[in-house]
């Protein structure tokens, strides 16, 4: 794996050169600022992974991360921020800009080498499964594999504000310290009768549909600075700042109205009548590391339980009508 | 990384640390110069911005090279200066105190 390290501190760059030199099968190229990095990227289009400092003279590392993501060649490359900036604002902005992981300086070389090996393994797995990005008619990018898609399988959606990969979302939630999670919540938002839509649509149509729904969701949640990811089964999990203020019923109505106005159709021309619903929010107060990741699963389960409850209520309503 | 690579890596870090300490003396001297300028010459805000940048680099690098205390104290001083820079009127006395407290600790590393 060819890695580009961008840092204005020559000691850090030299340390990384030594570290990568001791790891098998990796190569390191370096740049001392964002402009230099763009030049090195031009000369090395085969760069597969980035290590980026945030505070550098000129453009900072977060802006560089955005530049990297804008380039289709590097749209999925792991971008690890390697920085002394430890506050939530920088972490939020880095992940929103497309960072995959966030490592604080001072860092432990053994841990960093593990992260690099993990990134390399992810790239190789993607290659083995022929996982690639495809453009949807609405201009978003979605990941596709050679094998068939199962309903429960997550896939990546790119180019929608606040939508990140599941790996990035897990790294984000793990990264935030106990205090920084205060006030944040995770909510799951799911497409009702996702299984019916999955069975009726082509795989590609289903991926496009999820990308369109992620856009509606991102717009409606914009006020909460969300980071969200598609986790499979028609469900998104969203990390919201100050999420306790979310009025689930009002939000669901606004989201469904927004989706209705999008006037979505299958590629066969059939109009799609879609309804989403929101599960009970899971507060992230004092839930560091693995416990925070478990909150993502709980939010997912809550959304699906809410979808099932609504379908049951609907059935009960029709039964009642008939008996009356 | 295997055991032998890890020990070679540690040796490389040690060499880098020695070079860092040689260069660090200049950073330490620059902080003294900046501290002396506060309230005397130039724009205090600009002086503190430079001190903050100096401390930021030390905070990021020193700990990684095994100088944990120096890195930690630099990070703390950087944070306190960032806080002082947020107010409209720079508290010069407080700014000097932050730098002196850090330089006291930094001095012990420079002397080694």
């Amino acid at each position: 794996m060819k890695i580009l390290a961008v840092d204005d501190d020559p000691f850090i760059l030299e340390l990384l050169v030594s570290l990568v030199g001791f790891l098998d099968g990796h190569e390191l190229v370096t740049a001392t600022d964002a402009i230099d990095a763009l030049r090195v990227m031009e000369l090395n289009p085969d760069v597969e992974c980035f290590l980026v400092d945030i505070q550098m003279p000129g453009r900072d590392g977060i802006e560089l991360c955005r530049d990297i993501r804008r380039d289709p060649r590097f749209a999925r490359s792991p971008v690890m921020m390697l920085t002394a900036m430890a506050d939530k604002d920088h972490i939020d902005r880095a992940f929103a800009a497309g960072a995959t992981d966030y490592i604080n300086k001072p860092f432990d070389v053994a841990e960093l080498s593990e992260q690099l090996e993990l990134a390399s393994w992810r790239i190789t797995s993607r290659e083995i499964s022929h996982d690639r990005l495809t453009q949807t008619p609405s201009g978003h990018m979605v990941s596709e594999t050679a094998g068939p898609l199962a309903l429960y399988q997550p896939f990546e959606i790119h180019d929608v504000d606040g939508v990140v990969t599941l790996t990035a979302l897990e790294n984000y939630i793990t990264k935030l310290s106990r205090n920084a999670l205060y006030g944040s919540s995770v909510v799951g938002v799911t497409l009702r009768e996702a299984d019916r839509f999955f069975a009726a649509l082509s795989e590609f149509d289903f991926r496009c549909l999820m990308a369109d729904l992620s856009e509606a969701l991102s717009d409606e949640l914009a006020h909460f600075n969300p980071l969200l990811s598609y986790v499979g089964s028609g469900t998104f999990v969203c990390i919201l700042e100050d999420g306790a203020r979310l009025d689930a019923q009002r939000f669901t109505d606004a989201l469904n109205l927004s989706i209705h106005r999008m006037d979505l159709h299958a590629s066969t021309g059939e109009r799609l009548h879609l309804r989403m619903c929101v599960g009970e929010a899971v507060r992230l107060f004092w839930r560091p590391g693995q416990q925070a990741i478990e909150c993502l699963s709980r939010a997912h389960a809550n959304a699906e339980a809410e979808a099932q409850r609504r379908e049951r209520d609907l059935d009960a309503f029709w039964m009642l009508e008939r008996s009356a | 990384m295997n055991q032998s690579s890890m020990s070679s890596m540690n040796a490389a870090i040690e060499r880098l640390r020695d070079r860092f300490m040689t260069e660090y003396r200049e950073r330490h001297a620059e902080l003294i110069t900046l501290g002396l300028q506060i309230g005397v010459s130039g724009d205090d805000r600009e002086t503190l911005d430079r001190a903050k940048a100096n401390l930021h680099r030390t905070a990021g690098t020193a700990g990684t090279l095994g100088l944990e205390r120096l890195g930690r104290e630099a990070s703390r001083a950087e944070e306190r200066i960032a806080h002082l820079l947020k107010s409209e009127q720079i508290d010069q006395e407080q700014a000097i105190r932050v730098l002196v407290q850090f330089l006291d600790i930094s001095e012990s590393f420079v002397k080694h």
Side-chain angles (χ1 to χ4, degrees), chain A residues 8-12 14-16 18-20 22-23 53 55 83-85 105-110 113 117, chain B residues 1 5-6 8-10 12-13 16 19-21 23 27 52-53 56-57 59-65 78:
Chain A
D8 61 328
D9 188 329
F11 286 103
I12 294 293
E14 209 169 314
L15 180 72
L16 293 173
S18 301
L19 172 64
V20 173
F22 288 117
L23 299 174
D53 183 21
Q55 195 160 332
T83 174
M85 314 303 288
K105 290 177 190 168
F107 58 88
D108 180 73
V109 287
S113 68
E117 295 294 5
Chain B
M1 203 185 293
S5 298
M6 203 60 219
S8 306
M9 184 68 219
N10 286 338
I13 291 177
L16 264 177
R19 280 188 29 224
F20 172 80
M21 281 319 300
E23 196 180 283
R27 287 194 204 174
K52 185 168 154 281
H56 178 79
R57 289 185 73 182
T61 317
T64 306
L65 296 179
E78 181 198 358

Side-chain angles (χ1 to χ4, degrees), chain A:
Chain A
M1 173 170 77
K2 191 183 261 192
I3 305 159
L4 169 58
V6 192
D7 202 308
D8 61 328
D9 188 329
F11 286 103
I12 294 293
L13 288 182
E14 209 169 314
L15 180 72
L16 293 173
V17 168
S18 301
L19 172 64
V20 173
F22 288 117
L23 299 174
D24 284 337
H26 303 308
E27 187 188 339
L28 188 87
V29 285
T30 61
T32 52
D33 60 35
I35 304 293
D36 191 26
L38 295 174
R39 187 189 57 81
V40 174
M41 282 156 63
E42 275 314 304
L43 296 171
N44 297 272
D46 54 343
V47 165
E48 290 179 287
C49 177
F50 295 83
L51 291 170
V52 181
D53 183 21
I54 289 187
Q55 195 160 332
M56 294 185 285
R59 290 164 70 75
D60 72 16
I62 294 177
E63 286 177 76
L64 174 61
C65 183
R66 264 189 221 105
D67 291 338
I68 292 169
R69 289 300 180 222
R70 266 188 221 116
D71 188 327
R73 290 173 299 179
F74 308 116
R76 301 181 84 186
S77 310
V79 179
M80 301 183 199
M81 309 311 288
L82 196 57
T83 174
M85 314 303 288
D87 56 295
K88 184 171 183 292
D89 180 54
H90 279 97
I91 299 173
D92 284 353
R93 290 197 295 118
F95 278 96
T100 323
D101 207 348
Y102 197 99
I103 298 160
N104 277 118
K105 290 177 190 168
F107 58 88
D108 180 73
V109 287
E111 269 175 40
L112 180 61
S113 68
E114 278 171 25
Q115 296 297 324
L116 290 171
E117 295 294 5
L118 191 60
S120 174
W121 175 81
R122 284 203 180 102
I123 292 169
T124 309
S125 310
R126 231 163 37 204
E127 280 166 5
I128 291 169
S129 59
H130 300 285
D131 190 334
R132 65 192 188 285
L133 289 183
T134 312
Q135 191 162 31
T136 71
S138 49
H140 307 305
M141 303 298 277
V142 289
S143 65
E144 270 191 319
T145 50
L149 176 73
L151 174 62
Y152 68 85
Q153 270 179 319
F155 52 84
E156 292 179 15
I157 298 170
H158 290 245
D159 305 323
V160 180
D161 285 345
V163 178
V164 299
T165 63
L166 188 52
T167 305
L169 197 76
E170 286 179 351
N171 287 337
Y172 169 75
I173 205 168
T174 311
K175 185 76 241 164
L176 291 180
S177 69
R178 295 163 194 232
N179 288 340
L181 287 172
Y182 178 77
S184 297
S185 303
V186 193
V187 290
V189 183
T190 197
L191 173 65
R192 287 168 59 182
E193 297 185 285
D195 51 349
R196 187 170 65 80
F197 288 103
F198 184 77
L201 297 172
S202 70
E203 267 186 27
F204 183 65
D205 275 4
F206 187 77
R207 289 178 202 268
C208 296
L209 172 62
M210 287 300 129
D212 289 337
L213 294 180
S214 75
E215 190 173 19
L217 195 50
S218 164
D219 287 348
E220 288 302 324
L221 288 172
H223 187 62
F224 293 93
N225 297 322
L227 275 185
L228 57 137
S229 189
Y230 178 64
V231 290
S233 304
T235 306
F236 295 89
V237 289
C238 321
I239 300 175
L240 309 179
E241 239 175 49
D242 208 6
R245 284 194 304 108
L246 182 78
D247 178 334
Q249 191 51 55
R250 196 177 279 185
F251 168 73
T252 306
D253 291 344
L255 176 64
N256 284 329
L257 181 63
S258 160
I259 292 167
H260 176 76
R261 285 181 179 148
M262 287 168 90
D263 195 20
L264 297 171
H265 291 73
S267 58
T268 53
E270 186 198 345
R271 178 149 194 217
L272 300 172
H273 298 282
L274 306 152
R275 289 282 180 278
M276 294 194 86
C277 68
V278 181
E280 192 186 336
V282 180
R283 286 194 66 195
L284 287 171
F285 179 71
W286 204 258
R287 291 181 200 272
Q290 191 56 35
Q291 284 182 45
I293 289 184
E294 282 162 16
C295 290
L296 298 177
S297 311
R298 274 181 52 201
H300 184 167
N302 287 355
E304 292 191 355
E306 177 63 13
Q308 284 164 10
R309 187 188 68 78
R310 284 179 180 245
E311 294 312 317
R312 272 199 310 272
D313 285 357
L314 200 61
D315 286 346
F317 174 80
W318 289 116
M319 297 286 279
L320 220 79
E321 278 282 286
R322 219 163 23 178
S323 63

Side-chain angles (χ1 to χ4, degrees), chain B residues 5-44:
Chain B
S5 298
M6 203 60 219
S7 54
S8 306
M9 184 68 219
N10 286 338
I13 291 177
E14 213 166 297
R15 284 194 299 275
L16 264 177
R17 185 165 54 226
D18 290 344
R19 280 188 29 224
F20 172 80
M21 281 319 300
T22 309
E23 196 180 283
Y24 181 72
R25 288 187 175 89
E26 283 170 34
R27 287 194 204 174
H28 178 87
E30 190 200 15
L31 271 185
I32 296 173
T33 310
L34 292 170
L36 289 170
Q37 282 173 13
I38 296 172
V40 178
S41 62
D43 177 356
D44 284 344

Side-chain angles (χ1 to χ4, degrees), chain B residues 45-56:
Chain B
R45 200 165 286 279
E46 203 182 300
T47 305
L48 281 185
D49 267 330
R50 285 178 58 194
K52 185 168 154 281
N54 177 313
L55 290 162
H56 178 79

